[in-house]
Amino acid sequence: MADLELMHALSQPNDTKMVLLVLDGLGGLPMQPGGPTELEAARTPQLDRLAAEGVLGQIIPILRGITPGSGPAHLALFGYDPLVHQAGRGVLEANGVGLLVGAADVAARGNFCTLDATGRVSDRRAGRISSKIAVPLVERLSAVNVPSAEIEIRHVKEYRFAMVMRGAGLHADIADTDPQQTGVPLLAAVAHSDGAQHTAALFNQWIEAARPVLSDQAAANMFTLRGFSSDPQLPSFEQLYSLNAACIATYPMYLGVARLAGMQPLLSGDTPEKQFTTLRAARADYDFVFVHIKSTDSRGEDGDFDGKVAVIEALDRALPQLLECRPDVLVVTGDHSTPARMRAHSWHPVPLLLWAPETVRPDAAAAFGEDTCASGGLGTFAATDLLALMLAHAGRLCKYGP
Amino acid sequence: MADLELMHALSQPNDTKMVLLVLDGLGGLPMQPGGPTELEAARTPQLDRLAAEGVLGQIIPILRGITPGSGPAHLALFGYDPLVHQAGRGVLEANGVGLLVGAADVAARGNFCTLDATGRVSDRRAGRISSKIAVPLVERLSAVNVPSAEIEIRHVKEYRFAMVMRGAGLHADIADTDPQQTGVPLLAAVAHSDGAQHTAALFNQWIEAARPVLSDQAAANMFTLRGFSSDPQLPSFEQLYSLNAACIATYPMYLGVARLAGMQPLLSGDTPEKQFTTLRAARADYDFVFVHIKSTDSRGEDGDFDGKVAVIEALDRALPQLLECRPDVLVVTGDHSTPARMRAHSWHPVPLLLWAPETVRPDAAAAFGEDTCASGGLGTFAATDLLALMLAHAGRLCKYGP
């Protein structure tokens, strides 16, 4: 928290506008020796122009060699040390669909699943049932209660839902009920520590009470609970920097992590054009807007190099609409790398572009890619340092010391 | 220890093979303005090919501006913070020749020396007597006892030996008996703290008891003791990462520091070819092998630029034998810089080459040298981060956080 205290102490008001554009899983790898990465293969005249006018660098999401999940990777982009502040999947998902998770509450993420006649898991995602089928099932679960706690539950997407338990003496230190494989029974909610015994018992009680209400279903006849977690109680952008901050994201989890920083979620369609339309409308009301593009990561996880290239090119074509907002500071980066070659998140450094016409010291780079970023003027640095750079270029940090 | 705990928590099994090839004191300086360093002057087609296929960077052994000894520099390469975990010269030397140093024991390094007729030091290394002369003298010292402690002593090389004292209530906080100059008497073993008074007294008692057994010698008629130290009790590579790790080094001290990490010392001849022959034989049994080449540092300390170039070129010629082991991850680096121009260790960043055909993101470099490393794709970073990078490229670290 030491760096946050410093940044808080130095923060000063301004009327500048900042945009943090995160292309999820942006960093890539060549498919064959000597080849380009996804970002290098993409035709990106807009990004290349911004690279020429701005300055490049590389960020390390957590530590060198550590592959981040999206939660800690975004906390780092927002300036919070992800090794100090942990946000579980439950609270991210619950926050993302607008469930209020208080400091004393316990949130979890739920997946509908299929049990066979012997009670063993035959499909961990219930055949990926549609939202249309899942929504009424979530409504049924909403009616299930336990005596000494309040439970709220909300549908997320397809086979996924989020829930929060509110009550006295709750503790989130509980293992997932998902056995992570098929052909075995579900696990009970097991407390990792004595303090969580009571909470685990309440969850198990609720799970057993909920079982009958799904028994008529062929596919979604049960569910798993994962990522039991409480709100990490981060100081917000408002508290730290007096910033009105907003988030434009189409996936609940990213709305969830942005909410942890006190960002206001803004409704938007799910193309870059629609997101940038929302951004333009938000300009007057917000100092800092985090825009999240998911499909770079999705295509990377699919192993679809060309698909990831196409997503980046489509984003590039839409960029003029973002620039119409005339941000004073624009950062384009990723939360981590998701090379199509690896079909997974990776630890590789993430390309970073900082554009701030009034204050940037441009480097020699004239294109946005892994190679140019590796030799960029900002060097290679911890993602947690990025926000201070943005605030500085926005004239929102005053001098330290006499 | 926080980072080690994280790496331990994230470590996962794999059947990948890692090689850490350390050219001691690799980093250099130009002999005249505009000239090449030793590494840049050397003809290294093999290393240059690996540089083209891999990615370069620079590592900072301890902190910028800090010149490391070999002990802390290697601890950093092995992922242990050398400012937290200290390993004295005594325990490194004793470990290196196979003396068991327990947590409660005190080890020291001994140098035979020459006293003149007045009891003043005339040669701090006893004319660099041969091992042939020294071995029987060490045998004589082995027969010298003190009442309440057990002493074990072993010859190291030429005028050097190692010893360990075992007993109750021992403490290593004792100053060297070497006055670091000639023409003055030896120092007594002096405790730096109250807890070490008893141990210092035992060492002084032993020193006085040992004095007569060398009195017939013209050159090695006495000895100094240095580097009093205990085992730092590091968690091993096995404990932290479930790695079978081995060390191929020809100098005891490097075997000693590798043993602190739980690496198995492997017998080998003292040329790169012989070391790589041992490496090939070890492939089946070990996941991680540390190979140490000493003579880059020795030629640097001699001020022998051309000699250091020749050592690097000889290593390069032998490299195909290393590559026959088909490591999944190969790192070539140094523990620190030893520029021939300075005839000493230095604080300069150390060139680093990481080669991992399946997962590396190559940079633009096509040669292995200080200049290409300074602009390499990995950037400049702390040596303690290197091991996590190796583990990541070996698929041995799982994702952090949701």
Side-chain angles (χ1 to χ4, degrees):
Chain A
M1 187 71 93
D3 290 356
L4 290 186
E5 279 168 15
L6 176 67
M7 286 164 66
H8 171 59
L10 298 182
S11 81
Q12 63 181 11
N14 207 319
D15 56 3
T16 47
K17 302 292 183 182
M18 291 169 273
V19 174
L20 172 61
L21 174 60
V22 175
L23 309 189
D24 203 297
L26 175 62
L29 286 177
M31 292 301 272
Q32 57 281 321
T37 64
E38 297 89 323
L39 178 58
E40 289 168 348
R43 281 200 63 250
T44 54
Q46 302 295 333
L47 286 167
D48 293 345
R49 181 175 66 78
L50 295 178
E53 295 174 8
V55 63
L56 305 183
Q58 296 189 119
I59 51 176
I60 305 290
I62 312 291
L63 293 171
R64 280 182 171 76
I66 304 300
T67 297
S70 293
H74 276 84
L75 286 185
L77 289 176
F78 300 158
Y80 305 99
D81 183 343
L83 296 173
V84 173
H85 306 284
Q86 318 228 341
R89 190 81 186 206
V91 72
L92 295 179
E93 205 89 346
N95 255 339
V97 290
L99 280 176
L100 187 72
V101 184
D105 305 341
V106 174
R109 169 182 163 168
N111 281 4
F112 286 108
C113 68
T114 311
L115 301 187
D116 66 18
T118 68
R120 291 180 169 79
V121 178
S122 58
D123 188 329
R124 289 175 55 239
R125 295 183 185 86
R128 294 182 182 268
I129 52 166
S130 69
S131 294
K132 197 175 154 188
I133 294 174
V135 166
L137 299 180
V138 170
E139 268 168 43
R140 289 191 200 177
L141 292 179
S142 293
V144 178
N145 294 306
V146 287
S148 64
E150 181 202 328
I151 288 186
E152 197 175 358
I153 176 166
R154 199 163 290 183
H155 180 248
V156 175
K157 200 170 182 178
E158 298 167 350
Y159 58 92
R160 283 153 44 205
F161 62 85
M163 68 181 293
V164 57
M165 180 181 283
R166 304 188 183 97
L170 299 183
H171 199 291
D173 194 14
I174 299 172
D176 296 349
T177 71
D178 182 346
Q180 293 284 343
Q181 52 181 312
T182 54
V184 298
L186 290 182
L187 304 174
V190 174
H192 277 312
S193 59
D194 284 350
Q197 297 283 3
H198 167 63
T199 317
L202 285 175
F203 271 104
N204 285 323
Q205 206 177 335
W206 184 79
I207 290 167
E208 289 316 311
R211 191 184 292 269
V213 311
L214 300 174
S215 59
D216 64 336
Q217 296 294 305
N221 62 3
M222 199 44 201
F223 55 83
T224 59
L225 296 181
R226 306 199 291 170
F228 293 92
S229 44
S230 294
D231 187 288
Q233 299 281 294
L234 300 179
S236 70
F237 274 31
E238 167 70 33
Q239 291 167 319
L240 288 169
Y241 320 116
S242 305
L243 288 180
N244 269 334
C247 164
I248 303 174
T250 54
Y251 269 56
M253 199 187 119
Y254 306 96
L255 294 171
V257 67
R259 260 182 202 260
L260 294 181
M263 295 184 203
Q264 178 67 33
L266 302 180
L267 282 178
S268 162
D270 67 354
T271 64
E273 288 79 5
K274 291 175 182 167
Q275 292 181 284
F276 296 158
T277 300
T278 302
L279 178 65
R280 281 201 304 281
R283 189 184 196 280
D285 295 331
Y286 295 97
D287 310 306
F288 182 103
V289 184
F290 156 54
V291 183
H292 182 263
I293 308 282
K294 174 65 180 170
S295 42
T296 28
D297 179 61
S298 308
R299 294 298 82 72
E301 295 214 325
D302 295 343
D304 180 0
F305 186 96
D306 295 339
K308 190 171 165 190
V309 169
V311 170
I312 296 168
E313 291 184 343
L315 178 281
D316 192 79
R317 283 191 298 273
L319 263 185
Q321 298 173 58
L322 183 155
L323 295 171
E324 280 172 28
C325 303
R326 291 171 293 108
D328 299 285
V329 182
L330 168 65
V331 161
V332 186
T333 188
D335 54 341
H336 53 73
S337 295
T338 306
R341 184 187 162 98
M342 294 179 68
R343 298 173 174 268
H345 291 198
S346 81
W347 62 90
H348 297 87
V350 185
L352 170 76
L353 189 170
L354 186 146
W355 183 84
E358 292 305 316
T359 50
V360 82
R361 181 194 289 161
D363 53 23
F368 186 37
E370 279 80 352
D371 244 21
T372 51
C373 285
S375 56
L378 292 175
T380 300
F381 61 101
T384 46
D385 288 352
L386 176 61
L387 185 68
L389 264 184
M390 293 185 72
L391 292 169
H393 280 278
R396 288 176 176 272
L397 288 181
C398 61
K399 191 166 71 173
Y400 173 69
Chain B
M1 188 71 97
D3 290 356
L4 289 186
E5 278 169 15
L6 176 68
M7 285 164 66
H8 171 60
L10 297 180
S11 81
Q12 62 180 10
N14 207 318
D15 55 5
T16 45
K17 303 291 183 182
M18 292 168 272
V19 175
L20 172 61
L21 174 60
V22 175
L23 310 189
D24 203 296
L26 175 62
L29 286 176
M31 292 302 271
Q32 57 283 321
T37 65
E38 296 91 322
L39 178 57
E40 290 168 346
R43 281 199 63 251
T44 54
Q46 302 295 334
L47 286 167
D48 293 345
R49 180 175 66 78
L50 296 178
E53 295 174 9
V55 63
L56 305 184
Q58 296 189 117
I59 50 174
I60 306 290
I62 312 292
L63 293 171
R64 279 180 173 78
I66 305 300
T67 297
S70 293
H74 275 85
L75 286 184
L77 289 176
F78 300 160
Y80 304 98
D81 184 341
L83 297 173
V84 172
H85 306 284
Q86 318 229 338
R89 189 79 186 209
V91 72
L92 295 179
E93 204 89 345
N95 255 340
V97 291
L99 280 176
L100 187 70
V101 184
D105 305 339
V106 174
R109 169 181 164 171
N111 281 4
F112 286 109
C113 68
T114 311
L115 300 188
D116 67 17
T118 67
R120 291 180 169 79
V121 179
S122 58
D123 188 328
R124 289 176 53 241
R125 295 183 186 85
R128 295 183 182 265
I129 52 167
S130 69
S131 294
K132 197 172 154 190
I133 294 175
V135 166
L137 299 181
V138 169
E139 268 168 44
R140 290 191 200 176
L141 292 180
S142 292
V144 178
N145 294 306
V146 286
S148 64
E150 180 200 328
I151 288 187
E152 197 175 357
I153 175 166
R154 199 164 289 183
H155 181 247
V156 175
K157 200 168 181 179
E158 299 167 350
Y159 59 93
R160 282 152 45 204
F161 62 86
M163 68 181 293
V164 57
M165 180 181 282
R166 303 188 184 97
L170 298 184
H171 199 292
D173 194 14
I174 298 171
D176 296 350
T177 71
D178 182 348
Q180 292 285 342
Q181 53 180 310
T182 55
V184 296
L186 291 181
L187 304 174
V190 174
H192 276 312
S193 60
D194 284 350
Q197 297 282 5
H198 168 62
T199 317
L202 285 174
F203 271 103
N204 285 323
Q205 206 177 335
W206 184 79
I207 290 166
E208 289 315 311
R211 192 184 291 270
V213 312
L214 300 175
S215 59
D216 64 336
Q217 296 293 307
N221 62 1
M222 200 43 200
F223 54 84
T224 60
L225 296 181
R226 305 198 292 170
F228 293 92
S229 45
S230 294
D231 186 289
Q233 298 281 293
L234 300 179
S236 70
F237 274 32
E238 167 71 32
Q239 291 167 319
L240 288 169
Y241 319 116
S242 305
L243 288 179
N244 270 332
C247 164
I248 302 175
T250 54
Y251 269 57
M253 200 188 116
Y254 305 96
L255 294 170
V257 68
R259 259 181 203 259
L260 294 182
M263 296 185 202
Q264 177 69 31
L266 302 180
L267 283 177
S268 163
D270 66 354
T271 64
E273 287 80 5
K274 290 174 181 166
Q275 291 181 285
F276 295 158
T277 299
T278 302
L279 178 66
R280 283 202 303 281
R283 188 185 196 282
D285 295 330
Y286 295 97
D287 309 307
F288 182 104
V289 184
F290 156 54
V291 183
H292 182 264
I293 308 283
K294 175 65 180 171
S295 40
T296 27
D297 179 59
S298 308
R299 293 299 81 71
E301 295 214 324
D302 295 343
D304 180 0
F305 186 97
D306 295 339
K308 191 171 165 191
V309 168
V311 170
I312 296 168
E313 291 184 343
L315 179 278
D316 192 79
R317 283 191 297 274
L319 263 185
Q321 297 174 56
L322 182 156
L323 294 172
E324 279 173 28
C325 303
R326 291 171 292 108
D328 299 285
V329 182
L330 168 64
V331 161
V332 185
T333 189
D335 54 343
H336 52 75
S337 296
T338 307
R341 184 189 163 94
M342 294 178 68
R343 298 175 174 265
H345 291 199
S346 80
W347 60 91
H348 299 87
V350 184
L352 169 76
L353 189 170
L354 187 149
W355 182 84
E358 291 305 318
T359 50
V360 84
R361 181 193 287 164
D363 52 24
F368 186 38
E370 279 79 353
D371 244 18
T372 51
C373 286
S375 58
L378 292 174
T380 299
F381 60 101
T384 45
D385 287 353
L386 176 62
L387 186 69
L389 264 184
M390 292 185 72
L391 292 169
H393 281 278
R396 288 176 177 270
L397 288 180
C398 60
K399 192 167 71 170
Y400 173 70

